[in-house]
Amino acid sequence: MKILVVGGVAAGTKAAAKYKREDRSAQVKILTKSTDISYAGCGLPYYVGGMIGTREELIVNTPEKYAGLTGVEVVTGCEVTALDAAAKTVTAVKGGDTFIEGYDKLILATGAVPFVPPMEGTGLPGVFCMRTPDDAAGLRAYVEKNHCRTAVVVGAGFIGLEIAENLKAQNLEVTVIDAAPQIMPNAFDVEMANFAARKLKDAGIRVLTGRSIQAVTGAERAAGIQTDGGPLPADVVVLAIGVRPATGFLTGSGLEMFKGTILVDQQLRTNLADVYAVGDCAMVSNVLTGQRQWSAMGSTANIAGRVLARSLAGHDAVYGGCMGTGVVKLLPDLNAGRTGLTEVQAKAAGFDPVSVVCVVDDKAHYYAGASSFFVKLIADRASRKLLGIQVLGAGAVDKMVDIAVTGLAAQMTLDAFDTLDFAYAPPFSTAIHPFVQACYILENKLSGAFETFTPAQYAAGEAKDYRVIDVQPIAAIPGAKWVNLAKVDGPIDGLDKDEKLLLVCAKGKRGYFLQNRLKAFGYTNTRVLEGGATFNVVKVPRSAGSALPPEEIKRVKGLGCLQDKRYGDRFNVRVITRNGKITAEEQRTVAEAAERFGSGEVTMTTRLTLEIQGVPYENLDGVMEFLNQHGLETGGTGSKVRPVVSCKGTTCQYGLCDTFDLSQKLHERFYVGYHSVSLPHKFKIAVGGCPNNCVKPDLNDLGIVGQRIPEVDLSKCRGCKVCQVEKTCPIHVAKVVDGKVVIDPTVCNHCGRCVSKCPFGAIEDGTYGFKVFIGGRWGKKIAEGRPLSKIFTSEEEVLELTEKAILFFRDEGQSGERFADTIQRLGFDYVEDKLLHGAVDKEAVMNKTVVGGATC
């Protein structure tokens, strides 16, 4: 028996190895186009991000190692170009030579190839797909070699979002676009996808949906992309639009195919005798609907490959179908998982789905690292059978998905999960498993005990006639009536029993508790907002002429919208410009935003940001969305790292360092990267190119000044009567003493003006570096920063020191005090020692709860 396998990654190698174990006497041979086999395709994004250190770690088995372990013959670099099923042969090409290979049984496991649309620029350097180890290695090397700062990822599916997260981990500014109206299309319902997109945006990843790519721009290498919504500049472009089955060579072979996939039955048989197909090139079926479904997943490939091998060996083995199971890491603190049908898919399949979105604890709430699962659970209304689940959260979303997989396979109803004995201990789960809690909530909804609006219904405006009741422990929804749940023991004053009431708490539980009580007291028209204020963006419409509540003014101020004190409902919207450097296109965008949403006026702030003047409250969402769609953001307020300001040292005649380059890195790593990190107060950073101190670095919480330390070669000093070094020194520190030029290092400000001024070469060189000031500030209480004793000689040292200072301030600062106050309280020597010599436990510091005290 000769088993010939075409394709050597997941499905092919799995089927070949398993069959060889079943029948050691069989001849099993793999022909594969690549030089690599059995590589970790799902690990490619993590190689890009540095989580996987070397390319070799991506290779599960080399051809030699695999052949030795399994006994399977492997031929690499071999492309199969045709199939003759009648003759039981394939035609292949290796090294330019064509040959014919026969078989008794043929397994087609050719996988899939990236889809690259036919458009201009896709062949430019700096454009990458993500399918092979070479793709990942090439992208990582290109980013490092070209010092890339910005990236566009085209495609917001699992791979695209994984690549985006890993490029973000390399401190790139990342934009993700997708032609679909949501991220993760066909995998998540729109409300779950939109919640995930908001989290990505909060983390600094720009997400643009409903945006199609038209071309890659650039001359000698990629410079961005052109979309139907305008250009997007970028240093590197990743095309993660999707994949297509690698089956072009099978045209005319007689195989029954559908949209490029090979149709198979449950035993992976094709319509041709002794020809089988498995993996990404094959079309399987969905367990729940019985309909054809393409499952281009590594898990499906491996499982189906094993089933095929056992079936060929004579076992009663069948592949029952897929469920669309998937899990993806979106951010360091956000994972997503799903299985079964979405609500949209369930309706299309003929079910009558009912769903609930709920927020449940992922482990005991009091245990360190506890977080939440954001769950959408879907069941059939009449039969109560589970149909699908979608889960987002910081923790192990896969365990929720895996429970659902088992339930779907067993066709379990919601109620069948109610008393299952799931594992519990505080570090792992809750006493009632979070999956079971979600079942309980949906069961309550089915019974009528829990009457709700789903997030989708709320977003569609179905609750517009309802009065919003804030049920959170502390009033937090501007314009809503707050109700103290603990004190509700009868009808509530001011609430009519037949009034339409939308009960909103943080997650949904307190809303349900209040609804239960109100029903008992005769209230007839209450609804709870599923997922509460944590999952939904809740706003209470403001009646005309009414004043904005202080809480709302504070909220929008945190988004960079500062109230114009002359009016009650007009704001100046602060646009971050990356140290005052802005493109002509961005200038046009700001001008258009000012005309469309504001007064038409734009002002400049002292920290080199722009403010769009006179934006009515009702236009705030519109102007921020418009700016975001064009790559600009608002902000720059609150107890956080503020926008970095720098002088023009890059182009100034006195400039000693590339201030734009350094300030851009500081902006990306700390303003963008630390955007969600609360500090005891605001933290301002300034970069000066020389001791002229144009942007007053020593009056910022942390100031960086370019330095050039002169190096005197006294053997070349002639002790001239008119010393050119002494004459050049702007602060008169250089002096000729006893016939030699002397520069007092304790007074010299390292401006570098003296270098190369001696005609005899006494000062021909100087060490470039940076002086760092800490504890400066300007305002009501002025403090001049003090320089650290060390001169830093690389940008990376400065970046590391800056992060250390921010973490130190977060850890040892007290709410409401500036960094200067912290230094004064603890002592400069103590702080300097900590920054220069101490260690900081970043994870522990970031896990602390810090309340900021900034009022602007």
Side-chain angles (χ1 to χ4, degrees), residues 579 607-608 640-647 662-663 665-671 674 679 682-688 695-705 772-773 776 798-799 801-803 805-806 818-819:
N579 321 314
R607 292 192 69 81
L608 305 182
K640 300 178 180 180
V641 176
R642 294 297 182 85
V644 181
V645 64
S646 75
C647 74
L662 179 55
S663 58
K665 290 175 181 175
L666 289 161
H667 170 86
E668 292 167 1
R669 189 174 296 189
F670 303 116
Y671 177 74
Y674 274 59
L679 300 174
K682 67 184 76 171
F683 193 91
K684 294 183 176 181
I685 303 172
V687 183
V695 291
K696 303 174 179 62
D698 59 341
L699 295 177
N700 283 256
D701 297 276
L702 188 140
I704 302 159
V705 179
V772 176
F773 292 83
V798 173
L799 292 167
L801 185 280
T802 303
E803 181 168 46
I806 294 169
R818 288 289 294 272
F819 194 31

Side-chain angles (χ1 to χ4, degrees), residues 257-590:
M257 302 174 73
F258 178 74
K259 291 185 177 180
T261 61
I262 304 167
L263 299 184
V264 296
D265 62 13
Q266 286 189 314
Q267 291 179 306
L268 292 312
R269 295 177 296 197
T270 72
N271 64 306
L272 299 179
D274 297 321
V275 179
Y276 304 79
V278 66
D280 293 357
C281 65
M283 174 72 79
V284 293
S285 62
N286 184 281
V287 173
L288 299 172
T289 67
Q291 301 298 310
R292 291 172 177 169
Q293 182 168 327
W294 190 34
S295 181
M297 301 287 287
S299 52
T300 301
N302 277 277
I303 294 166
R306 187 177 190 277
V307 166
L308 174 55
R310 297 190 72 245
S311 176
L312 288 175
H315 298 286
D316 184 18
V318 297
Y319 177 68
C322 65
M323 298 181 191
T325 306
V327 65
V328 59
K329 184 173 179 286
L330 300 175
L331 292 169
D333 59 352
L334 182 65
N335 306 312
R338 58 93 62 214
T339 193
L341 303 177
T342 65
E343 190 168 4
V344 172
Q345 291 164 349
K347 288 178 182 176
F351 293 100
D352 180 15
V354 58
S355 71
V356 72
V357 172
C358 55
V359 186
V360 294
D361 294 336
D362 65 353
K363 56 179 68 70
H365 68 274
Y366 53 80
Y367 190 81
S371 185
S372 297
F373 286 138
F374 301 88
V375 182
K376 181 169 184 177
L377 199 65
I378 305 162
D380 180 61
R381 190 180 302 273
S383 68
R384 301 169 73 92
K385 284 185 179 179
L386 179 67
L387 293 179
I389 192 173
Q390 298 159 45
V391 193
L392 300 164
V397 299
D398 58 308
K399 73 177 182 180
M400 297 283 282
V401 171
D402 288 343
I403 290 171
V405 167
T406 304
L408 290 169
Q411 300 186 44
M412 292 171 66
T413 64
L414 297 173
D415 315 80
F417 292 97
D418 287 359
T419 58
L420 294 185
D421 191 12
F422 291 114
Y424 162 65
F428 304 103
S429 186
T430 51
I432 297 177
H433 195 280
F435 187 93
V436 177
Q437 291 183 42
C439 290
Y440 288 167
I441 295 169
L442 186 49
E443 289 167 28
N444 284 339
K445 183 173 178 177
L446 281 165
S447 72
F450 185 41
E451 297 181 76
T452 71
F453 280 119
T454 67
Q457 289 174 311
Y458 180 73
E462 292 186 32
K464 65 181 180 180
D465 296 330
Y466 281 69
R467 183 178 179 184
V468 178
I469 307 300
D470 187 352
V471 200
Q472 298 177 84
I474 300 173
I477 303 176
K481 178 179 175 60
W482 179 67
V483 170
N484 186 346
L485 175 65
K487 294 187 177 180
V488 176
D489 55 6
I492 300 172
D493 290 341
L495 296 184
D496 186 84
K497 289 188 177 181
D498 293 323
E499 188 177 1
K500 292 181 177 179
L501 304 176
L502 180 65
L503 313 180
V504 183
C505 62
K507 300 178 179 180
K509 181 185 288 187
R510 292 171 66 89
Y512 168 60
F513 289 166
L514 179 60
Q515 183 179 65
N516 181 268
R517 293 188 193 185
L518 291 181
K519 284 183 177 181
F521 299 137
Y523 287 81
T524 61
N525 210 343
T526 64
R527 295 284 190 96
V528 176
L529 180 58
E530 295 177 12
T534 304
F535 189 88
N536 301 275
V537 178
V538 181
K539 290 186 178 180
V540 178
R542 186 172 64 96
S543 57
S546 62
L548 289 168
E551 296 84 2
E552 180 64 358
I553 293 173
K554 181 179 180 180
R555 183 188 74 83
V556 298
K557 181 165 64 176
L559 300 174
C561 307
L562 309 179
Q563 186 182 25
D564 187 327
K565 300 303 181 185
R566 298 172 296 176
Y567 311 100
D569 63 348
R570 291 186 180 267
F571 293 79
N572 300 327
V573 178
R574 186 168 291 176
V575 185
I576 306 305
T577 64
R578 302 182 305 279
N579 321 314
K581 194 173 186 179
I582 188 169
T583 66
E585 185 65 32
E586 289 170 333
Q587 289 275 23
R588 284 189 284 269
T589 296
V590 173

Side-chain angles (χ1 to χ4, degrees), residues 731-795:
I731 60 172
H732 309 297
V733 171
K735 297 184 182 299
V736 176
V737 179
D738 296 331
K740 295 292 182 182
V741 67
V742 176
I743 299 175
D744 186 344
T746 64
V747 183
C748 176
N749 65 5
H750 306 151
C751 71
R753 300 295 286 171
C754 62
V755 176
S756 299
K757 293 300 186 292
C758 174
F760 303 105
I763 304 180
E764 283 299 311
D765 203 0
T767 301
Y768 283 95
F770 306 90
K771 182 186 290 186
V772 176
F773 292 83
I774 60 171
R777 71 176 177 197
W778 190 261
K780 300 182 185 73
K781 187 178 179 182
I782 300 170
E784 187 172 358
R786 291 180 58 181
L788 298 175
S789 58
K790 176 179 177 178
I791 296 295
F792 299 86
T793 56
S794 72
E795 286 188 350

